[in-house]
Amino acid sequence: DGGITQSPKYLFRKEGQNVTLSCEQNLNHDAMYWYRQDPGQGLRLIYYSQIVNDFQKGDIAEGYSVSREKKESFPLTVTSAQKNPTAFYLCASRRGAEGNTEAFFGQGTRLTVV
Amino acid sequence: DAKTTQPTSMDCAEGRAANLPCNHSTISGNEYVYWYRQIHSQGPQYIIHGLKNNETNEMASLIITEDRKSSTLILPHATLRDTAVYYCIANPFGGEGTSYGKLTFGQGTILTVHP
């Protein structure tokens, strides 16, 4: 069935290591998004992509990188430059970037860096 | 995107209507008002959206003021499972610009439904 899948649900990494979070959608959506959520806080936009091979920085892009080589995939790499990477990461997609389309979210990846 | 302002938290008794306000006084003519909710440790879920007219679906109703500077999400008969964080956001219809395609969330309102 159609949807947006994030994997893994829980991820543990040692400090100083890069880690890549997976986000896949089979909804044929053009736009995809990555958010970070800290305990008790709202969602903050990291990167977004309106179309394949194109992406833009969100509000907190420092220490993160993305790629959009395929329409259905938008992986997020948390680099060692990210000062405080432990957080809940959410991926979303929309049919298009226009304003009258709703976003669909994955179930999130909880990253813990020790 | 227009900035939205919501109360930090609200309470509601089970079975009663929950009315969640949102202020978006800087909203532009091409921005839709969207509502999502997030149950603890899950991804947000779309509820409803509107541009000018009031909207209703199986989950909720959305009342938008005539000047479009504020809106209210109404859950007509709140249940314990409606306890969640509710986000109101304004999203451009389209066109070029620095915020085209950007989808930003605020802090939301924590709604607690009690027995």
Side-chain angles (χ1 to χ4, degrees), chain B:
Chain B
D1 297 359
K3 177 179 170 59
T4 60
T5 305
Q6 299 176 252
T8 302
S9 63
M10 295 182 65
D11 287 336
C12 178
E14 188 177 20
R16 304 296 294 270
N19 298 287
L20 290 84
C22 179
N23 182 287
H24 31 79
S25 57
T26 61
I27 197 169
S28 61
N30 68 350
E31 289 185 306
Y32 280 74
V33 177
Y34 271 78
W35 284 84
Y36 292 82
R37 74 179 183 185
Q38 184 179 25
I39 296 171
H40 183 62
S41 295
Q42 296 183 21
Q45 174 192 23
Y46 163 80
I47 302 173
I48 198 167
H49 72 284
L51 184 62
K52 295 179 183 178
N53 300 321
N54 298 337
E55 302 287 345
T56 296
N57 64 19
E58 65 279 3
M59 290 183 68
S61 294
L62 174 61
I63 308 298
I64 303 173
T65 58
E66 192 170 342
D67 62 8
R68 299 205 336 115
K69 293 186 177 182
S70 65
S71 62
T72 301
L73 178 75
I74 301 172
L75 307 178
H77 305 287
T79 70
L80 299 179
R81 286 180 293 182
D82 291 323
T83 292
V85 180
Y86 288 77
Y87 297 99
C88 166
I89 64 174
N91 186 225
F93 178 80
E96 299 301 321
T98 57
S99 64
Y100 177 63
K102 196 174 181 182
L103 189 62
T104 55
F105 287 70
Q107 296 298 309
T109 295
I110 301 170
L111 175 68
T112 303
V113 181
H114 52 84

Side-chain angles (χ1 to χ4, degrees), chain A residues 30 32 48-56 66-69 74:
Chain A
D30 282 318
M32 296 188 75
Y48 61 108
S49 168
Q50 298 172 34
I51 200 166
V52 175
N53 293 322
D54 186 46
F55 50 83
Q56 289 79 38
V66 293
S67 63
R68 187 82 189 278
E69 297 176 2
F74 191 41

